[in-house]
Amino acid sequence: MINSELGALIREGKTSREIKKVFKDFTLSKEYFIKQGYKESTAKRYLAKVKINDKNKPEQKTAVKVSKVESALTARRITGGKLVKYLWTSPHANFDRVLLDTSALGYKTTLEIINAAKEVIIIEAVLAEMDKKKIVTKTTIDAMTLAKNVREYSKKILLETEKYEMVPFKGLEENMYCDDVIIQYMSLMPRGSRVTLLTADILLANKAKMHGFEYIVYSPCGFDVTSL
């Protein structure tokens, strides 16, 4: 006897994990479908369909996650009677692949972007700057938060090798300012593979904009968009 409920779940787009919630003994094999009463041709077709469902569902979840992150982070808020946006991006900013600036480690919003990104690139000049920021020299909340996050993410960068890519680039000249090294690095990348700069430094974002690079910049004070 054909198990019609199994076929209905597959046609609805259910994944193998979702099917297992209903059929505890479900296995992703042609033989399983045949045991449920399906002909071999139908078994092959349903097996292929479940594999497609498994492949597409994670991508959909990722897309929804990224979409929610982007919409939440770029949300505008009313502050003091003004419409304020805290995150500003270039037209084609890519949230999946970002180039890290040290300042981005100082705020919850930019940390959320880092955590959601698929790839985060850190050049050696930024690592050197992080090394200076890991020790608190100013007893302000911002400085202490940055130092704490630098220490925490130094471990993540070391351990999560698939996500964080370290590049041994300190600039083409001696003792270059870190922001200038970042811009120089972006200018040396092939146009088709350039990353999006992630920063909380508005002047650095302006430099990126001047050179035609993509950027995501966070301002804790926000951007007044009522006059734009």
Side-chain angles (χ1 to χ4, degrees):
M1 181 177 178
I2 295 176
N3 193 325
S4 58
E5 185 180 359
L6 176 60
L9 290 173
I10 295 169
R11 291 191 297 274
E12 288 174 12
K14 300 298 185 184
T15 64
S16 56
R17 178 177 293 183
E18 291 170 325
I19 293 170
K20 282 183 179 180
K21 292 179 180 179
V22 180
F23 298 92
K24 304 299 183 183
D25 63 337
F26 177 75
T27 58
L28 200 58
S29 67
K30 180 183 68 176
E31 290 73 21
Y32 182 85
F33 291 101
I34 293 174
K35 286 180 181 179
Q36 302 303 311
Y38 294 101
K39 294 180 180 179
E40 184 173 356
S41 58
T42 305
K44 289 180 179 178
R45 179 161 55 85
Y46 277 166
L47 178 62
K49 180 71 169 71
V50 175
K51 288 180 178 179
I52 291 172
N53 294 346
D54 285 348
K55 181 179 179 181
N56 290 339
K57 209 60 173 275
E59 292 177 359
Q60 291 172 1
K61 287 180 180 179
T62 300
V64 169
K65 179 183 177 183
V66 172
S67 175
K68 285 183 178 179
V69 168
E70 291 189 25
S71 63
L73 293 175
T74 56
R76 296 176 178 179
R77 309 171 195 172
I78 300 294
T79 303
K82 294 182 178 180
L83 192 61
V84 175
K85 185 175 180 179
Y86 291 82
L87 200 74
W88 204 264
T89 70
S90 56
H92 304 290
N94 182 0
F95 282 72
D96 284 336
R97 189 165 182 256
V98 297
L99 176 65
L100 182 68
D101 174 43
T102 307
S103 62
L105 293 170
Y107 302 96
K108 180 182 176 182
T109 299
T110 38
L111 291 181
E112 288 177 357
I113 298 174
I114 293 169
N115 294 336
K118 294 179 180 177
E119 183 179 2
V120 180
I121 296 174
I122 306 102
I123 62 175
E124 189 172 357
V126 169
L127 278 178
E129 187 175 58
M130 287 171 60
D131 193 38
K132 297 176 183 177
K133 299 293 184 179
K134 70 182 180 182
I135 305 299
V136 179
T137 56
K138 297 179 181 179
T139 55
T140 63
I141 294 177
D142 285 350
M144 290 187 289
T145 299
L146 178 59
K148 174 180 174 293
N149 292 337
V150 163
R151 293 193 296 270
E152 178 182 339
Y153 276 79
S154 294
K155 298 175 184 176
K156 290 178 178 288
I157 292 168
L158 180 65
L159 299 175
E160 298 178 29
T161 54
E162 292 186 4
K163 179 184 178 76
Y164 296 96
E165 179 186 347
M166 291 185 283
V167 180
F169 185 78
K170 296 188 292 185
L172 299 180
E173 295 86 34
E174 290 287 335
N175 301 317
M176 287 183 66
Y177 180 47
C178 187
D179 287 4
D180 294 334
V181 178
I182 289 173
I183 296 300
Q184 188 177 76
Y185 174 75
M186 296 184 78
S187 68
L188 293 172
M189 297 185 75
R191 183 174 295 274
S193 61
R194 284 179 181 166
V195 296
T196 296
L197 171 66
L198 176 62
T199 184
D201 183 338
I202 295 176
L203 286 176
L204 179 55
N206 275 307
K207 291 180 182 179
K209 180 179 180 180
M210 179 174 63
H211 286 270
F213 302 150
E214 301 299 333
Y215 62 87
I216 301 167
V217 58
Y218 173 77
S219 170
C221 298
F223 301 90
D224 178 7
V225 296
T226 55
S227 59
L228 297 181

